[in-house]
């Protein structure tokens, strides 16, 4: 009895454990979705793969 805990069971030996979305219950494949436990359609934060770029604007006259 050298081991007191059972190993985590995987569906595919040598693969990753299966993780499902908390909202729509679909299986998640990409690493970002798996870490957030939300699929891209259910995630409220945008994921575009690039940093947001805001353009500076001139101040409104009279303010």
């Amino acid at each position: 009895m050298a081991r007191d805990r059972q190993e985590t069971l995987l569906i595919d030996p040598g693969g990753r454990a299966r993780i499902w979305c908390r909202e729509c219950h679909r299986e998640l494949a990409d690493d970002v979705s798996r870490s957030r436990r939300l699929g891209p359609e259910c995630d409220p934060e945008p994921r575009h793969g690039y940093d947001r770029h805001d353009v500076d604007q001139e101040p409104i006259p009279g303010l």
Side-chain angles (χ1 to χ4, degrees):
M1 294 207 350
R3 301 179 109 183
D4 294 336
R5 292 178 38 178
Q6 179 180 358
E7 290 184 33
T8 303
L9 298 176
L10 301 175
I11 300 302
D12 178 22
R16 302 185 297 184
R18 297 172 75 181
I19 298 175
W20 288 268
C21 177
R22 289 183 288 170
E23 298 292 325
C24 67
H25 306 290
R26 293 184 194 165
E27 188 171 358
L28 302 174
D30 64 293
D31 292 332
V32 175
S33 295
R34 292 170 59 86
S35 66
R36 294 182 181 181
R37 304 241 190 246
L38 288 170
E41 298 86 15
C42 301
D43 195 351
E45 294 183 28
R47 293 192 241 168
H48 301 291
Y50 56 87
D51 293 329
R52 183 176 168 174
H53 177 72
D54 293 327
V55 178
D56 291 332
Q57 296 181 350
E58 296 293 321
I60 299 174
L63 290 181

